[in-house]
Amino acid sequence: MDKNIQKYPIREIKENVISKTGYRALFLLRLLLTDSYTREELTEIFAQDPLIGKDLSEDTITNTINALRQVGCIIPKPNKKNNFKYSITLHPFSLKISETNALYLHELRKGVISTGDWQLIDAVNNLYNKLAEFIPDKYTKELIKTKHPLRDVDKKVLQDLILATKQKSTVEIRYYSAKNGWEELSFIPDFIEFENEKLYVWGYSYKYNEISYLRIDKIKAVTQNTYRSNKEVYEKYLKMVKRVRYELKGLASHTFSENRFERIISKTESTIIVEAEVYSEFNFIQKLLSYGPDCKIIEPEEYKSKFVEILKNIRAKYEESI
């Protein structure tokens, strides 16, 4: 700080060093960035400021508003529609994101989506929603706000399901399925998973007495059920989860990556043995089929038999077609 300035009393610095016109403009800008005000309200606030108050005139508000307009602020005239209040709808200090920048952000989010981490995706979406508030162009704003796989997920429904997964509590779900239309389901949510760019909740369905997974964007409402005791039911659900061990060799053994359902329990230079928790038999079998001849089920025996039978049926269908 300049030592000469330090010699002046505070009052003298305010009066002789600060540009009062600039001060009033910044003072008004700060006000209008946070709220909208009538002329009377602005006059009252200006009057309370020690630097502006003593020089306040009938034209102070008008001149200061016009000064902001001259530097690029858009301040509509007070009218009945805006309750006769001044507000800033756009200013040159706004964050500016071009269409090109928005496309880059969109591509960046695609990379986040590929991780399958729905909580990270949701956090990025929340950040993008905040950025969108600073974008004047409607097309670019919509690209940032809505072009993501969770756009149709109801926030309240998601929060209710997150709470229910933690408590393992029974909830009532209003759900729309392509097969059955609207259904009322008693359900124990166990975990939430992101697959094929859709968000699912896995758990136990009372109605079908089986492990089920529901698309969260198809859930209309979630309500707590305080009348059902679910401890025994949840334990029954856990027993429905099968544990299967299988062997991978070749390229599959080198490209395999662990997840919350599968872990490597044994490994050699050419093979790995994986233990899997199977919630959906169909999905699991489809995955094993994708490995081709590099995959072999070790146990349990029932899964080995099922897998062999499926392979036989595939072969028979193929031979019929040639």
Side-chain angles (χ1 to χ4, degrees):
M1 180 180 288
D2 191 322
K3 292 182 179 179
N4 293 324
I5 292 179
Q6 286 182 325
K7 295 178 182 178
Y8 285 98
I10 298 298
R11 188 183 186 90
E12 288 187 86
I13 293 176
K14 287 182 178 179
E15 293 180 354
N16 299 325
V17 179
I18 295 177
S19 166
K20 294 181 181 179
T21 302
Y23 178 82
R24 285 194 299 267
L26 291 175
F27 187 86
L28 180 60
L29 178 64
R30 180 177 65 84
L31 290 174
L32 296 183
L33 285 177
T34 57
D35 207 344
S36 55
Y37 299 88
T38 64
R39 174 178 287 273
E40 292 72 21
E41 289 170 337
L42 289 175
T43 301
E44 183 179 347
I45 296 172
F46 271 39
Q48 294 173 2
D49 184 82
L51 189 59
I52 300 176
K54 62 183 180 180
D55 293 329
L56 187 62
S57 69
E58 292 183 2
D59 296 327
T60 300
I61 301 297
T62 300
N63 292 338
T64 309
I65 288 173
N66 288 336
L68 289 179
R69 285 172 174 159
Q70 287 175 2
V71 297
C73 295
I74 296 179
I75 306 174
K77 290 183 178 180
N79 55 60
K80 190 175 182 179
K81 290 184 179 179
N82 58 30
N83 295 318
F84 298 99
K85 291 187 175 184
Y86 290 101
S87 62
I88 287 182
T89 57
L90 187 66
H91 59 82
F93 317 108
S94 300
L95 174 65
K96 293 182 179 179
I97 299 179
S98 66
E99 183 179 337
T100 301
N101 295 145
L103 289 172
Y104 284 139
L105 288 171
H106 186 53
E107 290 301 314
L108 177 63
R109 180 162 51 192
K110 285 183 180 180
V112 175
I113 290 171
S114 67
T115 67
D117 185 339
W118 69 267
Q119 291 173 307
L120 177 59
I121 296 168
D122 189 48
V124 170
N125 289 340
N126 291 335
L127 172 62
Y128 280 23
N129 285 337
K130 292 179 181 178
L131 289 175
E133 298 305 316
F134 297 95
I135 302 173
D137 177 64
K138 289 184 178 180
Y139 172 78
T140 309
K141 184 189 291 282
E142 287 304 304
L143 180 65
I144 290 293
K145 290 186 71 172
T146 64
K147 299 297 183 180
H148 61 85
L150 304 185
R151 59 185 175 274
D152 296 323
V153 172
D154 185 290
K155 287 284 187 180
K156 185 178 185 309
V157 165
L158 180 57
Q159 291 303 315
D160 289 341
L161 289 174
I162 291 172
L163 179 61
T165 59
K166 293 177 180 178
Q167 298 176 343
K168 308 303 180 190
S169 57
T170 301
V171 294
E172 300 301 319
I173 289 178
R174 181 163 173 72
Y175 181 73
Y176 182 82
S177 70
K179 181 179 179 181
N180 302 317
W182 286 106
E183 295 182 274
E184 305 294 334
L185 301 174
S186 292
F187 195 80
I188 302 180
D190 187 21
F191 61 89
I192 295 170
E193 192 74 10
F194 187 76
E195 299 175 16
N196 301 318
E197 297 199 359
K198 298 295 180 184
L199 200 59
Y200 295 87
V201 58
W202 288 75
Y204 173 76
S205 170
Y206 285 83
K207 181 177 181 178
Y208 299 105
N209 188 32
E210 64 181 12
I211 297 173
S212 299
Y213 58 104
L214 310 175
R215 267 180 55 177
I216 296 180
D217 61 313
K218 299 292 185 181
I219 297 176
K220 183 69 173 178
V222 177
T223 56
Q224 290 289 337
N225 186 320
T226 58
Y227 301 103
R228 285 187 184 268
S229 174
N230 58 282
K231 184 177 180 180
E232 293 181 2
V233 179
Y234 183 68
E235 289 177 354
K236 181 175 74 170
Y237 154 77
L238 291 178
K239 291 178 181 178
M240 293 179 177
V241 180
K242 304 298 182 183
R243 282 175 171 74
V244 180
R245 292 186 178 186
Y246 62 93
E247 181 185 83
L248 291 177
K249 63 180 181 179
L251 180 62
S253 67
H254 295 291
T255 58
F256 176 85
S257 60
E258 295 184 327
N259 55 47
R260 62 169 294 166
F261 308 109
E262 298 179 309
R263 63 187 183 91
I264 298 172
I265 59 173
S266 178
K267 188 174 184 179
T268 68
E269 290 185 2
S270 57
T271 65
I272 60 172
I273 294 177
V274 179
E275 183 176 78
E277 292 182 346
V278 180
Y279 290 82
S280 169
E281 182 177 293
F282 175 81
N283 291 354
F284 180 65
I285 293 297
Q286 292 299 308
K287 179 176 182 177
L288 295 191
L289 288 172
S290 71
Y291 291 128
D294 288 341
C295 176
K296 179 178 71 175
I297 293 181
I298 299 174
E299 59 181 8
E301 193 63 38
E302 61 178 289
Y303 259 81
K304 289 174 64 176
S305 301
K306 283 182 182 180
F307 197 51
V308 170
E309 190 64 30
I310 289 171
L311 292 173
K312 286 180 179 179
N313 290 336
I314 292 174
R315 179 174 180 175
K317 294 286 184 181
Y318 176 76
E319 290 177 344
E320 288 176 5
S321 65
I322 60 175

